[in-house]
């Protein structure tokens, strides 16, 4: 059952119950009011008769007119309830008095009684006539209740017909109004179905109504669609990047594997190759193996970097870290030498291991592409909010057409293709710097050298103590 139908039925049932209660209350009130008015009329006429007549029934003078509209019937009875006299309009019909009513009247209590006289409904008021404390007779006054009963029937019919008409109108109105109120929900349903069928997260629900609950639902649904569109685009981009990454990685791995397979085929030749050629082949295999190890290491580093959330900010003292990088690079490559210019104390917000790896990548690249007589300079400077670490070399430089692409994965410029790298180092460096909340940029002139600049948030001097205390306690 739809919400629209349920709402319509609910409203209709509530209205039906309300109309039923209202009709019953109106009928009961009108019925009691009509009865009370007739009783008051009979009592007033009885009082008028008694005021103008003697106490004994033999002295009763019947009125020639009545005090109110409608025909009034009079009858006088003795103490036992036997009729003595009556008005002519009764035409010989006797006003009845039941046994319980007779007992009450004989006891001195007036009684109202509703009964039928010749199929005519009547209300009879019986009043005891008392003489010296003794009931000597009974006076009865009566009026027909046919007009009142007919009025009640008309009222009852009117209430029933009116209630049915109101119920039918309420059902139709409720159906129309609930449909109008739920129209945005139908739009939501249709939009969701179209999105599911077309996989188009750019669709939105068009709602021009008031900012009520339905309006809030439409706004929330559109906001959810915007978030889904952004997430879907991110997933699509990630999948596309992953495909490119796998394709590039497969291509780079295939080259050393092909070279190693060819060299192994040479070692399997019969007759065998010469000892000098054999040694050269073995050296090639070792070199290709080392290249594969470096490539796999870079791929694993890049994968871990992609899956690592943003680094938690922590104080990193730069000068000791640079000295550690210098010692490590000298241990790997004694031909790599560089100058260092930096303040005695610089502390930034970042991640020590990530920053160390970035410095190693930049300095290692500078050593690879700078001739032995060139110059490599590492400089640290500060402004009011950031510290800048610059690595400047006088190497081969980067062509202008290559500058926009050097941070792309597996990208190598024409000048760098003869090197031993795979185009992953700068990609890793960029990701690591961004995860620390910093930026990395490059300026270069082909044939003259390049400058890579890493910028990280600086811990200001007057904030050093409280910030360090807070971070150390957090660690």
């Amino acid at each position: 059952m739809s919400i629209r139908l349920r709402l319509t039925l609910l409203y209709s049932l509530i209205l039906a119950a309300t109309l039923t209660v209202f009709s019953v209350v109106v009928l009961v009130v009108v019925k009691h009011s009509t009865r009370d008015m007739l009783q008051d009329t009979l009592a007033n006429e009885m009082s008028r008769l008694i005021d103008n007549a003697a106490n004994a029934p033999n002295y009763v003078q019947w009125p020639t007119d009545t005090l109110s509209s409608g025909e009034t019937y009079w009858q006088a009875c003795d103490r036992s309830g036997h009729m003595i006299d009556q008005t002519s309009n009764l035409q010989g019909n006797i006003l009845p008095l039941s046994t319980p009513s007779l007992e009450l009247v004989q006891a001195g209590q007036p009684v109202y009684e509703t009964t039928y006289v010749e199929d005519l409904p009547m209300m009879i008021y019986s009043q005891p006539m008392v003489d010296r404390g003794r009931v000597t007779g009974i006076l009865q006054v009566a009026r027909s209740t046919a007009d009142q009963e007919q009025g009640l029937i008309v009222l009852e019919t009117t209430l029933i017909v009116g209630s049915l008409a109101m119920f039918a109108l309420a059902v139709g109105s409720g159906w129309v109004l609930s449909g109008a109120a739920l129209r945005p929900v139908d739009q939501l349903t249709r939009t969701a179905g179209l999105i599911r069928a077309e996989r188009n997260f750019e669709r939105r629900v068009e709602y021009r109504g008031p900012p009520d609950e339905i309006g809030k639902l439409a706004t929330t649904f559109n906001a959810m669609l915007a978030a889904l569109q952004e997430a879907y685009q991110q997933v699509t981009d990630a999948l596309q990047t992953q495909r490119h990454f796998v394709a590039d990685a497969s291509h780079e791995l295939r080259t050393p594997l092909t070279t190693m397979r060819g060299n192994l085929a040479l070692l399997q030749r019969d007759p065998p190759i010469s000892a000098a050629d054999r040694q050269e082949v073995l050296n090639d295999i070792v070199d290709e193996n080392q290249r594969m190890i470096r490539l796999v290491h870079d791929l694993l580093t890049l994968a871990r970097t992609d899956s690592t959330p943003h680094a938690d900010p922590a104080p990193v003292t730069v000068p000791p870290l640079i000295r550690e990088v210098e010692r490590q690079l000298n241990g790997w490559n004694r031909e790599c030498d560089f100058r260092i210019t930096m303040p005695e104390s610089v502390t930034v917000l970042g991640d020590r291991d990530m920053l160390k790896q970035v410095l190693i990548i930049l300095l290692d690249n500078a050593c690879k592409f700078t001739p032995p007589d060139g110059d490599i300079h590492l400089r640290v400077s500060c402004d009011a909010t950031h510290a800048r670490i610059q690595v400047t070399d006088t190497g081969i430089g980067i062509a202008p057409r290559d500058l926009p692409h050097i941070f792309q994965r597996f990208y190598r410029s024409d000048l760098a293709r003869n090197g031993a790298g795979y185009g992953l180092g700068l990609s890793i460096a960029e990701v690591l710097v961004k995860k620390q909340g910093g930026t990395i940029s490059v300026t270069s002139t082909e044939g003259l050298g390049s400058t890579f600049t890493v910028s990280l948030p600086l811990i200001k001097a007057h904030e050093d103590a409280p910030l360090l205390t807070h971070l150390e306690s957090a660690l």
Side-chain angles (χ1 to χ4, degrees):
M1 185 183 295
S2 65
I3 296 179
R4 182 181 185 183
L5 181 57
R6 289 204 301 268
L7 288 176
T8 303
L9 291 178
L10 178 62
Y11 296 153
S12 302
L13 289 176
I14 292 175
L15 180 61
T18 303
L19 290 175
T20 301
V21 173
F22 174 76
S23 301
V24 171
V25 170
V26 169
L27 282 174
V28 171
V29 170
V30 171
K31 183 176 182 180
H32 282 79
S33 298
T34 303
R35 184 192 62 188
D36 292 342
M37 290 177 61
L38 185 57
Q39 288 179 352
D40 292 340
T41 298
L42 295 178
N44 289 333
E45 294 200 9
M46 180 66 74
S47 297
R48 179 185 177 186
L49 180 64
I50 292 176
D51 289 341
N52 296 320
N55 290 333
N58 295 330
Y59 298 99
V60 172
Q61 300 294 324
W62 303 123
T64 58
D65 57 354
T66 58
L67 298 177
S68 59
S69 61
E71 191 170 8
T72 304
Y73 306 93
W74 297 91
Q75 179 174 284
C77 301
D78 59 16
R79 188 178 184 281
S80 300
H82 297 102
M83 190 270 293
I84 298 175
D85 196 4
Q86 61 181 195
T87 54
S88 60
N89 57 2
L90 278 173
Q91 298 179 359
N93 295 305
I94 298 176
L95 297 179
L97 184 63
S98 63
T99 301
S101 299
L102 177 61
E103 294 176 354
L104 290 175
V105 174
Q106 289 175 346
Q109 183 177 347
V111 173
Y112 291 96
E113 193 173 18
T114 301
T115 185
Y116 281 85
V117 177
E118 290 295 323
D119 298 328
L120 184 66
M122 284 192 180
M123 178 178 285
I124 303 172
Y125 177 54
S126 301
Q127 171 75 39
M129 305 300 296
V130 181
D131 182 19
R132 291 187 292 273
R134 180 175 176 273
V135 176
T136 59
I138 302 173
L139 278 179
Q140 292 178 296
V141 58
R143 277 197 171 191
S144 172
T145 61
D147 292 341
Q148 288 80 2
E149 292 185 2
Q150 184 64 32
L152 290 175
I153 292 175
V154 172
L155 177 61
E156 182 178 357
T157 303
T158 302
L159 289 175
I160 293 175
V161 173
S163 298
L164 292 176
M166 290 295 295
F167 180 77
L169 179 63
V171 171
S173 302
W175 181 260
V176 173
L177 292 177
S178 60
L182 294 174
R183 188 172 296 113
V185 178
D186 293 336
Q187 293 177 353
L188 290 177
T189 304
R190 289 194 297 270
T191 302
L194 291 174
I195 291 173
R196 181 185 61 182
E198 300 174 1
R199 296 184 178 273
N200 180 13
F201 292 98
E202 295 181 358
R203 286 185 175 272
R204 297 294 182 269
V205 176
E206 297 182 1
Y207 179 76
R208 299 181 179 88
D212 52 10
E213 288 79 2
I214 299 296
K216 292 178 181 178
L217 176 62
T219 302
T220 303
F221 188 78
N222 286 335
M224 182 189 68
L225 287 178
L228 286 176
Q229 180 183 4
E230 182 180 357
Y232 183 76
Q233 187 62 43
Q234 290 176 354
V235 171
T236 302
D237 294 342
L239 289 175
Q240 188 67 21
T241 302
Q242 184 181 20
R243 293 189 187 100
H244 290 316
F245 179 80
V246 172
D248 293 338
S250 301
H251 175 74
E252 295 295 339
L253 286 171
R254 185 165 54 247
T255 301
L257 287 173
T258 303
T259 303
M260 291 175 64
R261 184 178 61 182
N263 289 330
L264 289 174
L266 290 175
L267 293 177
Q268 291 177 336
R269 287 182 59 179
D270 189 18
I273 60 177
S274 64
D277 291 339
R278 183 183 183 86
Q279 185 60 42
E280 185 177 350
V281 168
L282 289 174
N283 291 337
D284 287 343
I285 292 176
V286 172
D287 292 340
E288 293 299 328
N289 182 63
Q290 292 297 327
R291 287 186 62 195
M292 287 186 60
I293 291 175
R294 288 194 300 271
L295 175 58
V296 172
H297 178 268
D298 288 344
L299 290 175
L300 291 176
T301 301
L302 195 58
R304 286 195 298 266
T305 303
D306 287 339
S307 62
T308 301
H310 293 290
D312 294 329
V316 179
T317 305
V318 176
L321 179 62
I322 291 178
R323 297 298 182 189
E324 181 179 336
V325 172
E326 181 184 23
R327 290 192 300 269
Q328 187 169 340
L329 285 177
N330 288 335
W332 292 347
N333 184 2
R334 297 188 180 275
E335 297 179 358
C336 182
D337 193 15
F338 53 91
R339 295 182 296 115
I340 299 175
T341 302
M342 61 182 175
E344 293 183 358
S345 178
V346 177
T347 304
V348 297
L349 285 178
D351 184 278
R352 191 179 188 279
D353 293 337
M354 289 184 179
L355 181 56
K356 178 181 177 181
Q357 189 166 358
V358 171
L359 293 175
I360 290 176
I361 291 172
L362 296 180
L363 290 171
D364 186 52
N365 279 351
C367 293
K368 289 178 182 177
F369 302 111
T370 302
D373 57 347
D375 180 53
I376 301 174
H377 188 192
L378 190 152
R379 180 187 298 108
V380 180
S381 60
C382 303
D383 59 18
T385 59
H386 287 78
R388 291 187 300 275
I389 303 174
Q390 293 179 317
V391 177
T392 303
D393 63 63
T394 57
I396 61 177
I398 304 171
R401 65 178 180 276
D402 295 323
L403 274 176
H405 309 289
I406 61 171
F407 292 109
Q408 295 178 4
R409 298 176 182 184
F410 295 104
Y411 183 83
R412 287 184 291 174
S413 65
D414 294 337
L415 296 176
R417 289 189 181 275
N418 294 326
Y422 291 94
L424 291 176
L426 292 179
S427 300
I428 296 173
E430 183 188 37
V431 174
L432 292 177
V433 171
K434 288 183 177 180
K435 287 185 179 294
Q436 298 177 80
T439 59
I440 184 172
S441 60
V442 60
T443 58
S444 181
T445 302
E446 187 175 358
L448 297 180
S450 305
T451 299
F452 287 86
T453 303
V454 176
S455 178
L456 291 171
L458 174 69
I459 298 179
K460 296 181 181 180
H462 66 278
E463 293 180 353
D464 282 355
L467 185 55
L468 285 171
T469 301
H470 171 71
L471 292 174
E472 287 172 358
S473 64
L475 293 174

